[in-house]
Amino acid sequence: MKSKNENKRVSAPKGGQKGGKFSMNNGPFFEAESKKRRKTEYEDDDIESGDSEEEAEILGGFDASGGVEEDEDDVETPGEIRKRVATELLDKMRAIARKEKEDEDEDWEEGEEARDSVVAKILQQEQLEESGRARRVLASRLKKPETTDGFKVLVKHQQSVTAVALSDDDLKGFSASKDGTILQWDVESGKSAKYQWPSEDILKSHGAKDPRGRVKKHSRNVLALAVSSDGRYLASGGLDRHVHLWDIRTREHLQAFPGHQKPVSCLSFRQGTADLFSGSFDRTVKYWNMEDRAYIDTIYGHESEVLTLDCLRKERVLTVGRDRCMMLFKVLDQSRLVFRPPPSSLECCCFVNNDEFLSGSDDGSIELWSIGRKKPVYIVKNAHALLPACQNVEQKGSEKIPNIRLENGDHKIESYSSSSTYSWVSSITVCRGSDLAASGAGNGCIQLWAIESGRKDIQPLYGIPLVGFVNSLAFANSGQFLIAGVGQEPRLGRWGRHPTARNGVAIQSLKLL
């Protein structure tokens, strides 16, 4: 038996030798033996017990903590725990499948194998939908509302809302506005709570750096929000050029991440992880890990401001910039794909799945893209047509929104016409893992779309009246409602104004057949 002193390892001195040159052989980082090697050297026989055999006999049936030892037969092993959880899940799935069959007046007495095959199909479908390899059919099941009352205002802001976000469980919502306010609210009741900005001293202690150039103090104008999949973290970014991390449970400020040289315009968490992508007016995209509070990498490629970005589970990020192009960055491969639309400037983008995505342009068009083509596979022109002289923007009823034209195939330059600021497609979103999409502009209507991947086209469903600039959209994962961040002004400027619009968050329930 080795002694304790023999098991102890002498640690290397911290830092290099004072006054001497730096050597690759100095410091624990460059030791020949890895940490993994060290761990494997510790055998069970080398670990001494804290109690002697006599002490163990005296303790008898008591463990080291003073409690009575449990019988080994009563303690569940990890394998038994997994089996028990799986059995409980299967019982629940069988009950659900049995109820569905009973509702359909079908005979359920088909044997255990037949029942388990139904359960297996349900589990496989859920796994495919969660991984993004299968698409939920929602567009064809969407029921058009009988009345055209439009959206219901859920939360009010003093200035234009710039970003909205939803937690994965669809219970909590988040919104930010140009006045620097960040609100967290309950979807059911609409009760809201405000995030309090920390003082300058606390910001500096959390990593914030002093403003540079003409900026004299930190601006709290927030332009982007993102929520992690586990519902723990909220990220915000804006004119102060920092990415801020918040704890959703306590609404406390955790960290400020400097690095961008200009305003942070867009944020997105990678699904299922704490990895965050941030886009900025400095033409870069930065990659962070919020769990470790660490910077990972900077992604270059755009020649102008990055306006919008989106990502799914893979380490890929889709971006749109003012350089009139959209880029798909493959982070692990350190490569990119460049997509150039017909002569127009893209304003927003989002993933449909890993191989397809949507974009909105300042000429009022919506484009459907495929990873295998550099040009759009389908274009919807005048998706948010402007009414003559911007009249009657407070219209009621989506049937008054005219002039949606669908085109496919080759797209010629002369076929495009310029549009007003009010018809710019300022936001677009897809219900994750489904064929249902929505787009917003400033023409007084949010349009819902059906994405048909087999035919590679987009079909309009119906419009929902909403006065103001729709700066941000988010679907519930369940597809049961849609939220919109609306304001009197566009998100990134003041080149248009709706004086009658209400600054806030609006919600529209969706009924599925």
Side-chain angles (χ1 to χ4, degrees), residues 182 195-199 202-208 234 236 240 242-248 250-257 293:
I182 300 177
Y195 281 69
Q196 297 293 335
W197 278 94
S199 62
I202 295 179
L203 278 175
K204 290 182 180 179
S205 67
H206 288 180
L234 173 70
S236 66
D240 67 347
H242 287 74
V243 176
H244 296 275
L245 183 66
W246 306 82
D247 189 335
I248 292 178
T250 60
R251 299 194 303 276
E252 293 181 355
H253 189 274
L254 298 178
Q255 191 78 19
F257 299 91
R293 314 282 200 273

Side-chain angles (χ1 to χ4, degrees), residues 206-251:
H206 288 180
K209 293 185 177 180
D210 292 329
R212 299 177 181 177
R214 299 179 182 179
V215 181
K216 300 298 182 183
K217 62 180 181 179
H218 289 284
S219 173
R220 297 179 180 177
N221 190 329
V222 181
L223 298 177
L225 291 176
V227 182
S228 61
S229 299
D230 57 6
R232 294 175 57 192
Y233 300 122
L234 173 70
S236 66
L239 296 186
D240 67 347
R241 308 182 311 281
H242 287 74
V243 176
H244 296 275
L245 183 66
W246 306 82
D247 189 335
I248 292 178
R249 294 166 292 185
T250 60
R251 299 194 303 276

